Amino acid sequence: MNLFTPVQLGSYTLPNRIVMAPMTRLRAIDNIPNALMAEYYAQRASAGLIVTECTAISPLSLGYINCPGIYTDAQIDGWRLVTDAVHEQGGRIFVQLWHSGRVAHPALLGGELPVAPSAIAGVGSLHTPIGKVALETPHALEITEIGEIVEQFRQGAVNALAAGFDGVELHGAFGYLIDQFIQDGSNQRTDEYGGSVENRSRFVLEVVEAVSGVLGGGRVGIKLSPSNTFYGMSDSNPKETFTYVVKALNPFDLAYVHMMEPNEVDLSTREVMNPVTPHFRQIFQGTLITNGGYDHETADNILSKNDADLVSFGKLFIANPDLPQRFKLNAELNTPDPRTFYGAEATGYTDYPFLVESK
């Protein structure tokens, strides 16, 4: 088994095991997807699966300037441009449904406080319309508000269907709202959504159930990052916590779990699970995607050991729209330019050359 072995993912047969990882690029002017984004994703349609950048399910889940949403008719129409363009090129695309939780700021939320499981500020800062600002202490969600957010995720799945997506990935990683509920460093509630790992997992499982009720489990994935330290995240026993969560996901027959390996920041901050994927290979009964700075050789290696079913690539897909072809031919790769990762321009977004152009 290698990157070019076809694979069944839910109801889809993928021609390869190369996944375009979700990557925030901030090209959605006024939070509405557009023709430039359609071109960007269509260029990369040779991936076995594309997962979009994080996509807000409500106005209060916006964590960044010009990140896309999927809660208005204009946003749904904008995403339809994207899905039509990808499908015309023979690709498959899931939207990543996202709530930023405490990783937001009133300047991004019309003056409203960010929300979170507990009134504990994240660590770090954000770029906002009023400049770069530190994260503020969020509003601790009431029980009724939690139910409203579960409903927003469900409606996000309904809107994803209307926008033409093949499925959704729930963003349960990197210190955003779902992750904030799971980990005890950010969740210090004393009600049924806090305390024990069973209670801290309640929110994510309610979201999975709601979204699967719309799409069926076979069109739903979830991204998790047990070693994540972004925005001050921590858990007293991440191995135990995430083992419980992943075991609890098994009955939903999901399309996949997308598991993140630690990066340099995580490894320099504290002791973390490393590696992650092989442990959860033994726990999760379905399809497992792994992400963590892989190249062609290391990706083929983890697949050959059967420690994962697919591998997702981030920065390599930014700079190489035809990454699968380059891997297949062992061709030279373009180098990504971090200076253009974010912004409103086509530069560094849709202007990286294809292999035939390079020649």
Side-chain angles (χ1 to χ4, degrees):
M1 180 170 69
N2 61 34
L3 286 173
F4 294 97
T5 307
V7 60
Q8 194 71 24
L9 186 84
S11 58
Y12 302 105
T13 301
L14 309 186
N16 60 61
R17 296 168 186 255
I18 301 169
V19 177
M20 178 179 168
M23 291 174 285
T24 298
R25 303 302 307 276
L26 305 181
R27 262 70 174 189
I29 308 304
D30 297 326
N31 313 115
I32 300 172
N34 51 51
L36 181 63
M37 292 171 59
E39 179 184 2
Y40 166 74
Y41 283 112
Q43 286 178 339
R44 291 154 178 80
S46 61
L49 176 68
I50 292 172
V51 185
T52 74
E53 61 216 279
C54 56
T55 300
I57 57 169
S58 71
L60 274 180
S61 58
L62 293 167
Y64 303 109
I65 298 172
N66 290 334
C67 62
I70 194 165
Y71 52 85
T72 71
D73 289 342
Q75 291 166 346
I76 293 169
D77 291 344
W79 277 123
R80 173 61 77 168
L81 294 176
V82 175
T83 59
D84 284 349
V86 170
H87 292 149
E88 285 171 10
Q89 296 299 319
R92 295 137 300 275
I93 182 167
F94 279 29
V95 63
Q96 189 186 62
L97 298 181
W98 167 69
H99 195 302
S100 60
R102 71 183 187 179
V103 185
H105 189 272
L108 294 164
L109 306 176
E112 297 287 329
L113 275 178
V115 300
S118 301
I120 302 169
V123 177
S125 58
L126 294 174
H127 292 279
T128 76
I130 61 172
K132 192 172 184 178
V133 294
L135 295 175
E136 294 192 359
T137 301
H139 159 68
L141 288 160
E142 303 289 342
I143 292 285
T144 55
E145 294 174 311
I146 294 173
E148 290 168 2
I149 293 175
V150 173
E151 170 57 24
Q152 289 166 0
F153 272 104
R154 191 199 68 81
Q155 186 62 47
V158 172
N159 295 349
L161 280 179
F165 282 103
D166 300 303
V168 306
E169 176 178 285
L170 300 172
H171 198 336
F174 292 166
Y176 300 116
L177 186 63
I178 290 175
D179 201 21
Q180 291 162 27
F181 268 95
I182 292 171
Q183 300 207 51
D184 59 19
S186 50
N187 182 351
Q188 296 181 12
R189 300 176 71 94
T190 57
D191 59 13
E192 60 262 46
Y193 288 94
S196 67
V197 64
E198 292 85 356
N199 284 353
R200 286 182 281 118
S201 303
R202 190 180 308 278
F203 176 69
V204 62
L205 297 178
E206 287 180 350
V207 170
V208 170
E209 182 175 22
V211 171
S212 297
V214 173
L215 298 169
R219 288 199 284 177
V220 178
I222 186 168
K223 178 179 174 182
L224 299 170
S225 56
S227 296
N228 167 58
T229 61
F230 289 176
Y231 299 117
M233 292 299 294
S234 66
D235 189 83
S236 59
N237 193 334
K239 188 173 184 178
E240 176 186 308
T241 294
F242 284 91
T243 295
Y244 178 87
V245 172
V246 171
K247 282 182 178 178
L249 292 172
N250 278 324
F252 291 99
D253 293 323
L254 297 181
Y256 63 83
V257 167
H258 193 173
M259 198 62 70
M260 312 304 292
E261 293 292 338
N263 60 26
E264 295 84 357
V265 175
D266 300 324
L267 293 170
S268 66
T269 304
R270 58 181 170 85
E271 287 283 328
V272 298
M273 285 187 68
N274 183 31
V276 168
T277 307
H279 170 74
F280 291 99
R281 182 58 156 178
Q282 308 305 314
I283 306 299
F284 187 56
Q285 297 168 0
T287 299
L288 197 63
I289 302 175
T290 185
N291 176 285
Y294 290 96
D295 58 20
H296 188 179
E297 181 180 358
T298 55
D300 271 346
N301 183 50
I302 195 166
L303 293 178
S304 70
K305 293 190 296 185
N306 198 34
D307 280 341
D309 298 292
L310 301 95
V311 180
S312 70
F313 300 87
K315 292 177 184 177
L316 293 185
F317 253 123
I318 288 178
N320 298 276
D322 52 354
L323 186 64
Q325 182 186 13
R326 289 176 185 262
F327 277 170
K328 182 168 281 189
L329 299 176
N330 289 315
E332 185 177 353
L333 299 178
N334 300 324
T335 302
D337 181 0
R339 296 172 299 176
T340 58
F341 283 178
Y342 311 109
E345 305 297 326
T347 302
Y349 191 59
T350 55
D351 61 350
Y352 283 104
F354 285 73
L355 192 58
V356 64
E357 296 167 1
S358 302
K359 291 181 179 178

